[in-house]
Amino acid sequence: MRVLLTGSSGWLGRHLAPLLEAKGHTVVGLDVAPGAATSVIGSVADRALVFRTVAEHGIEAIVHSGALHKPDIVRFPRQAFVDVNVTGTLNLLEAAVEAGHARFLFTSTTSLMVRDDVRAGAGEAGAWWMDEHFGPIAPRNVYGVTKRAGEDMCRLIARESGMVVAILRTGRFFPEDDDTHAIPSGPNLKANEFLNRRLTVGDAALAHLAALERAEGCETFVLSAPPPFTRADAVELAVDAPAVIARYFPDAAELYARAGWVLPERIERVYDPAKAERLLGWRARTDFAAILAALRDGAEMPFAHDPDWISPVLGDATA
C-alpha cells in the first residue's frame, strides 16, 4: 500500500517508516520538519495540503502519528494543540474518507487516561488497573484533551463511513527525561517503567504495523510492555512494590543494587495491553525481564535514553 505517515520526522515516525517499507509499503512522510522519511513538509492543520498530498501521491491508508505532545505545552499555545491534534486529525480522516480508504491508524496516548485522582496516587482498590475500559476519562491538560477529541473524531468518522480505525494509546516510549520526576531519573526511571507503563519505540512501531495489517472495526488499544503482575497484586503494589517484584523476579533487588539503581517503592497504576495481544497478535518484545537480563549480563539497556531529545519542529507547528 501507499501509506501516508504523519510525524515521519519524529521519534516514532523515524522507526516506523523503515518498518513499513520493509513490509513492502510505499511511505509518503508528512511532517513540519525535514527527516529521512519525510517527503512533504507541512502541517496536518493545512487542510489543502493534506487533501492534495493524499490525491497526488495516490495514498491508500493513513497512519497518523504526528502531534503536539505533552512536553510541547511549554512551547506552544493551546490553540496550536487544537489546530494540530484536533483539526489536523479531522483533515486526515475526511481526506481518507474522500479517497475511499479502508483503514486509518491514530496514535493516541495513555496520558489522556491519567485523571487528577490517578495522578494523585492509588485508588481504594490499590494500583489503578488501566485497560481500554478504564474510565471515566478526564484528561488533565490540553494535550490529553485534544488527543481525546481526536479519538472521538476517529470514532465518529468510523461510525459514519465504515472505515476501519485503530486508536493506539501508547505508553511512554520517548527517550527524553521525565519532566516531573527527578528521583529516580534517567535510565533507572525508564527501567522501572517497564514494570507498568513503558515500551520501546521499536515495539510501538511493531504495534502500528500489526494494527495496519489486522485491525477490524473501530477499536482502541492500550500499548505497553506486558506487566508481570495480576490484578490480585494491585493492593500490595500500591504499598510495597519491592515485595511484589521480588516474587516475580527474586534477583531484581540485587541486580539493581549492583547498578546503583532503586526499585519503585510503590506502583500506583498499571497499563494492561492484553487486548492488543488478543486482537492484533502484538506483544511487546522488550519487558522488565529483558531489563534484568541486560543488568545480569552487563549488556546495553534495550531502550533509548537521550535527555536532550526534543521533538522536531520547524517554525510555528501550525504553519
Side-chain angles (χ1 to χ4, degrees), residues 274-290:
K275 180 180 177 182
E277 183 170 3
R278 185 173 70 254
L279 296 187
L280 301 179
W282 172 86
R283 181 182 175 89
R285 297 177 177 180
T286 300
D287 56 12
F288 189 67

Side-chain angles (χ1 to χ4, degrees), residues 34-183:
T38 299
S39 48
V40 180
I41 303 293
S43 171
V44 295
D46 185 338
R47 185 175 178 86
L49 174 66
V50 167
F51 276 75
R52 185 168 65 249
T53 300
V54 168
E56 292 180 355
H57 290 270
I59 299 301
E60 298 170 278
I62 294 176
V63 178
H64 180 25
S65 69
L68 288 181
H69 299 279
K70 179 173 175 282
D72 294 317
I73 291 174
V74 298
R75 298 194 287 160
F76 296 102
R78 289 174 176 169
Q79 186 61 55
F81 279 81
V82 173
D83 294 341
V84 174
N85 294 356
V86 182
T87 302
T89 300
L90 176 61
N91 290 340
L92 290 157
L93 284 162
E94 292 189 335
V97 171
E98 181 176 285
H101 292 179
R103 56 189 53 232
F104 184 99
L105 268 61
F106 178 63
T107 308
S108 188
T109 173
T110 53
S111 178
L112 63 82
M113 301 162 66
V114 184
R115 308 179 305 240
D116 286 338
D117 58 341
V118 174
R119 181 77 173 180
E124 293 181 0
W128 300 98
W129 203 268
M130 305 177 74
D131 60 13
E132 296 78 9
H133 298 294
F134 181 81
I137 301 296
R140 68 188 190 281
N141 55 42
V142 69
Y143 171 50
V145 167
T146 55
K147 293 301 280 187
R148 182 187 181 184
E151 285 193 4
D152 287 343
M153 202 71 71
C154 286
R155 296 184 185 100
L156 173 65
I157 299 300
R159 184 168 64 249
E160 292 180 348
S161 68
M163 183 169 58
V164 171
V165 175
I167 298 167
L168 306 176
R169 289 182 182 169
T170 64
R172 293 182 166 195
F173 61 82
F174 279 85
E176 71 265 30
D177 280 327
D178 185 89
D179 58 354
T180 56
H181 292 87
I183 300 173

Side-chain angles (χ1 to χ4, degrees), residues 11 15 172-179 181-182 184-191 193-194 198-201 261 291 300-310:
W11 184 245
H15 289 83
R172 293 182 166 195
F173 61 82
F174 279 85
E176 71 265 30
D177 280 327
D178 185 89
D179 58 354
H181 292 87
S185 62
N188 187 171
L189 178 62
K190 287 182 171 63
E193 289 176 339
F194 277 91
R198 179 171 282 274
L199 71 167
T200 66
V201 66
W261 287 0
I291 305 302
E300 183 179 352
M301 282 294 112
F303 58 81
H305 175 65
D306 181 359
D308 297 322
W309 167 262
I310 298 176

Side-chain angles (χ1 to χ4, degrees), residues 246-286:
R247 289 202 297 270
Y248 291 93
F249 306 102
D251 64 344
E254 178 185 349
L255 291 169
Y256 260 54
R258 193 185 306 166
W261 287 0
V262 294
L263 288 165
E265 295 181 3
R266 294 174 299 279
I267 291 177
E268 297 180 316
R269 61 181 183 264
V270 177
Y271 297 153
D272 184 352
K275 180 180 177 182
E277 183 170 3
R278 185 173 70 254
L279 296 187
L280 301 179
W282 172 86
R283 181 182 175 89
R285 297 177 177 180
T286 300

